Amino acid sequence: MDNVQENTVAQPASELSAKAEARWLGYWPFVWGATGAAVSLINLWRFPYLVGEHGGGLFLLVYLLCVIVLAVPIMLAEVLIGRLGRGNPVLAVANVSRLSGISSLWRLVGYLVIAGSLLILPIYSVMGGWGLEYLSMSLEHRFAGISFATSKAEFDRFLLDQTSMLAWHSALMMTAVLLVAAGIRVLAWVLKILVPGMFIIMLLLVMQLSSLDDFSYALAWMFSFRPEDFSWDSLLLALGHGFLTLGVGLGVMMTYSGYLPKSSQMGRLVLRISVLDLLIAVLAGLVALPLLMSIPEQAPAAGPESLFVSLPAVFGSLDGGFSLANWFYIVVVAVALSSMVPLMEPLVAHMVDRGWPRYQGAIFAGTVCWTIGLGVVMSFNQWQQVELLDGMNFSQLLDYVTANALMPIVGMIMAVIVGWLLPIEKAREAFQQDSKWRFQAWLFLLKYGAPLLIYAIFIMPMLQSWLK
């Protein structure tokens, strides 16, 4: 694979184009890879609960509008930067800055992008390791006859077992490193199997669960319109989740779009990724909610305990629960891995563009993330009571910094660069096959709508918290 030496002054995008094409990912691998990065474990345990608790179908409709107004415009801006910059996030932003006639110091945004992906990746690795642990427990038939209280005690015991958590974290991280090190073409092949396979398993689980008595209640809880349950807080939750769930600002879209042919239509790419992300979240709800509603003493709730405390007790009491549990925790692991692999790519691409062999870049990225993951592991046991900032432990702080600071700040900056600083003819050229009215609508939302919403949802509350 050709390498691109990254210098202080950005190289012209035209010089990078041929080398980016050498790392060509392909249209559908791009869609599956970006979807895998967007479909996080949060979709499995948080989104179904939010929909049901905050108005059902009304929340779902508002969420779709929020995605269109907030997330999609910035995702398109990220794809545009990657398409024009044709390199890793640092180099792509530097090249777009050159095209815009602004300072090359804007490339520092690329480092924020890489930092965000590296901080969130270890959380997925550790929690994906929980999926491996529970998959092994399921294969050993350890859920048979287990009560809710016993399941909770088992989960609490596992969180205190640093050795097991570290072993699973290491295994998942090593798998991600091997996949990334194998190269873009191998990665494309894996993504084309891993992410669609995850969808197929979820569909089969939904079909199998549709015969349960509680399935109709789950459908009603998620999709019936209940305006009385929708509030101002519901609107803020829809806006925030719409931004965070698609992984905006983590560099995956920017990096992968540099591997795409210029003929690929940006609008269709982002639309398909958004639809697939929503579909997997809805499928997750149709799998988890009927099971959770079968527990009389346990109402559906958001959080990891719904997957690792409540569901094992359900699987142990159902006919065919052994098979359901196996496939469900395979999905949990697949979701974690499909997020980890794309999130590792921005740093690896940065190292490759600086002249490193790809395998060395993958090992370096994996080592950094594995080391950060040590702190995440200890946050659930030895460091659980160690408060670093405003009552948060290490893991909570990583999640807060990434979701409430880095991602919205990067999203705001990308909206400013593309919406206000990049010459409009350059932006229109990137939309060469999209209609004029779509381009104008996107540009309007990018310049005015998305920045105002990011400021209102994330940045203003963050500033108020800091100024207290």
Side-chain angles (χ1 to χ4, degrees), residues 96-144:
V96 172
S97 299
R98 182 186 58 80
L99 291 173
S100 305
I102 58 179
S103 171
S104 62
L105 290 177
W106 284 90
R107 73 184 186 280
L108 297 177
V109 178
Y111 290 107
L112 291 180
V113 169
I114 293 174
S117 63
L118 293 183
L119 292 181
I120 202 70
L121 196 157
I123 297 177
Y124 292 155
S125 178
V126 172
M127 293 188 175
W130 298 358
L132 286 172
E133 168 72 11
Y134 273 71
L135 176 60
S136 69
M137 291 171 62
S138 175
L139 292 172
E140 295 171 1
H141 295 266
R142 290 168 58 184
F143 297 153

Side-chain angles (χ1 to χ4, degrees), residues 322-340:
F322 169 71
S323 175
L324 286 173
N326 291 341
W327 287 112
F328 181 80
Y329 289 111
I330 287 174
V331 169
V332 171
V333 175
V335 168
L337 193 59
S338 68
S339 297
M340 292 171 60

Side-chain angles (χ1 to χ4, degrees), residues 130-463:
W130 298 358
L132 286 172
E133 168 72 11
Y134 273 71
L135 176 60
S136 69
M137 291 171 62
S138 175
L139 292 172
E140 295 171 1
H141 295 266
R142 290 168 58 184
F143 297 153
I146 190 173
S147 67
F148 177 78
T150 304
S151 180
K152 189 176 189 315
E154 184 68 23
F155 183 59
D156 292 339
R157 178 207 61 77
F158 171 66
L159 293 184
L160 294 175
D161 186 354
Q162 289 186 11
T163 302
S164 295
M165 287 184 67
L166 181 58
W168 292 124
H169 161 58
S170 301
L172 208 56
M173 189 65 71
M174 187 177 298
T175 302
V177 168
L178 290 174
L179 290 175
V180 175
I184 289 296
R185 299 196 182 280
V186 173
L187 191 57
W189 180 81
V190 171
L191 291 171
K192 284 192 292 186
I193 295 176
L194 181 63
V195 182
M198 181 173 63
F199 276 90
I200 292 171
I201 293 173
M202 294 289 280
L203 283 169
L204 292 175
L205 287 173
V206 170
M207 292 172 61
Q208 189 169 354
L209 292 170
S210 63
S211 61
L212 293 179
D213 293 337
D214 294 298
F215 189 79
S216 59
Y217 294 107
L219 285 176
W221 204 64
M222 282 192 68
F223 297 113
S224 62
F225 274 68
R226 300 187 302 279
E228 66 276 9
D229 293 334
F230 194 86
S231 64
W232 175 253
D233 288 338
S234 303
L235 175 61
L236 293 178
L237 286 169
L239 284 165
H241 193 77
F243 182 83
L244 297 176
T245 189
L246 292 174
V248 176
L250 293 177
V252 174
M253 299 287 287
M254 190 185 302
T255 306
Y256 276 9
S257 60
Y259 303 158
L260 280 170
K262 292 183 179 180
S263 59
S264 301
Q265 291 188 345
M266 292 171 51
R268 291 184 181 179
L269 284 170
V270 172
L271 179 61
R272 283 173 176 164
I273 292 165
S274 302
V275 170
L276 289 171
D277 176 72
L278 175 63
L279 178 59
I280 194 67
V282 170
L283 288 175
L286 295 179
V287 171
L289 290 178
L291 296 172
L292 292 172
M293 286 180 169
S294 67
I295 309 176
E297 71 274 18
Q298 180 72 8
E305 289 197 358
S306 65
L307 304 188
F308 302 107
V309 175
S310 301
L311 288 183
V314 178
F315 290 136
S317 63
L318 286 177
D319 292 334
F322 169 71
S323 175
L324 286 173
N326 291 341
W327 287 112
F328 181 80
Y329 289 111
I330 287 174
V331 169
V332 171
V333 175
V335 168
L337 193 59
S338 68
S339 297
M340 292 171 60
V341 169
L343 287 172
M344 197 177 288
E345 186 63 26
L347 177 57
V348 174
H350 176 64
M351 304 310 296
V352 169
D353 285 345
R354 293 184 66 88
W356 287 46
R358 184 175 179 84
Y359 77 92
Q360 290 184 6
I363 293 172
F364 176 78
T367 302
V368 171
C369 294
W370 181 86
T371 304
I372 297 173
L374 296 180
V376 177
V377 168
M378 289 190 286
S379 295
F380 293 97
N381 37 74
Q382 190 173 334
W383 289 0
Q384 188 173 14
Q385 304 304 322
V386 177
E387 297 182 358
L388 300 178
L389 178 67
D390 198 23
M392 293 181 286
N393 61 28
F394 183 79
S395 178
Q396 293 167 337
L397 182 60
L398 284 186
D399 182 64
Y400 177 83
V401 168
T402 305
N404 294 81
L406 287 177
M407 290 175 67
I409 289 173
V410 168
M412 179 78 83
I413 294 173
M414 287 193 298
V416 170
I417 292 176
V418 177
W420 292 95
L421 302 177
L422 182 69
I424 192 170
E425 62 271 13
K426 295 292 184 181
R428 185 178 285 112
E429 180 183 345
F431 276 78
Q432 54 185 314
Q433 295 185 32
D434 285 337
S435 67
K436 183 177 180 180
W437 75 265
R438 289 176 186 160
F439 172 79
Q440 295 294 341
W442 164 72
L443 192 60
F444 177 82
L445 290 174
L446 184 67
K447 293 177 70 172
Y448 303 106
L452 288 174
L453 290 174
I454 291 175
Y455 180 78
I457 300 167
F458 298 104
I459 297 180
M460 186 173 68
M462 183 174 60
L463 292 176

